[in-house]
Amino acid sequence: MKAKGERLDALKMLISSQELGSQEEVLQMLRQEGYDITQATLSRDLKQLKVAKAASMSGKYVYVLPNETMYRRIHKPLSAQEMMQTQGFLSIHFSGNMAVIKTRPGYASSIAYNIDNSEIPQILGTIAGDDTIFLVIKQGVTEEEIRQEIYGVAKY
């Protein structure tokens, strides 16, 4: 069993990166992340994190973390370097001026959001799915430059 602090971090990441409307959906996502907990434990965790339900832009009621305004999924973006150190990041591969980042399920949109908000001039933009991010890189930028920007140091 993983530590409670790690579980709470995973729960916050899931809530901030996806529209989850029921405890059953949250339990399923946590199981995919390796956390097999009961509904009672989840209820206590949600209460401790002060998670609430609010209407999303689609009208569906979903879990939100406290201090979320206008139903924004992440209110304070992490730097790209911080995001690449999360348990959700798996790998990055390059082809020409494109790159593909693989993540654990449910992490891609929040990692892409943080990359976009890090304002890395060498990255033109991102497109995110559930577990994959597509990056478009400026012409002439090397893989090494991108790795240094998103990792902070060339650790790969």
Side-chain angles (χ1 to χ4, degrees), residues 10-21 25-26 28-30 32-33 56 60-65 68 71-74 103-110 129-131:
L11 182 56
K12 288 189 285 189
M13 180 64 77
L14 289 170
I15 290 170
S16 68
S17 65
Q18 299 182 45
E19 290 191 351
L20 301 170
E25 287 178 272
V26 177
Q28 288 174 0
M29 296 306 297
L30 283 170
Q32 288 178 10
E33 296 295 322
S56 68
K60 177 182 170 187
Y61 280 86
V62 297
Y63 289 108
V64 294
L65 295 170
E68 302 281 8
Y71 313 117
R72 220 165 130 181
R73 306 311 298 161
I74 299 173
T103 72
R104 295 178 76 186
Y107 284 82
S109 63
S110 60
D130 183 53
D131 63 358

Side-chain angles (χ1 to χ4, degrees), residues 30-138:
L30 283 170
R31 283 187 193 111
Q32 288 178 10
E33 296 295 322
Y35 300 96
D36 192 21
I37 62 171
T38 65
Q39 184 274 328
T41 299
L42 176 61
S43 289
R44 287 189 294 272
D45 288 351
L46 292 173
K47 185 175 182 178
Q48 180 178 345
L49 294 174
K50 297 182 172 124
V51 171
K53 272 196 160 180
S56 68
M57 295 305 206
S58 65
K60 177 182 170 187
Y61 280 86
V62 297
Y63 289 108
V64 294
L65 295 170
N67 301 323
E68 302 281 8
T69 57
M70 298 299 291
Y71 313 117
R72 220 165 130 181
R73 306 311 298 161
I74 299 173
H75 64 282
K76 181 181 181 264
L78 299 172
S79 71
Q81 294 172 10
E82 292 170 318
M83 211 54 194
M84 293 307 143
Q85 294 170 7
T86 69
Q87 59 185 336
F89 175 79
L90 297 176
S91 66
I92 184 168
H93 298 283
F94 296 88
S95 178
N97 73 322
M98 299 174 286
V100 174
I101 295 175
K102 295 300 288 179
T103 72
R104 295 178 76 186
Y107 284 82
S109 63
S110 60
I111 291 174
Y113 174 86
N114 286 292
I115 290 170
D116 289 337
N117 285 285
S118 292
E119 298 178 9
I120 300 170
Q122 296 92 332
I123 298 176
L124 299 175
T126 64
I127 299 173
D130 183 53
D131 63 358
T132 306
I133 303 166
F134 175 74
L135 296 172
V136 178
I137 302 164
K138 282 186 179 178

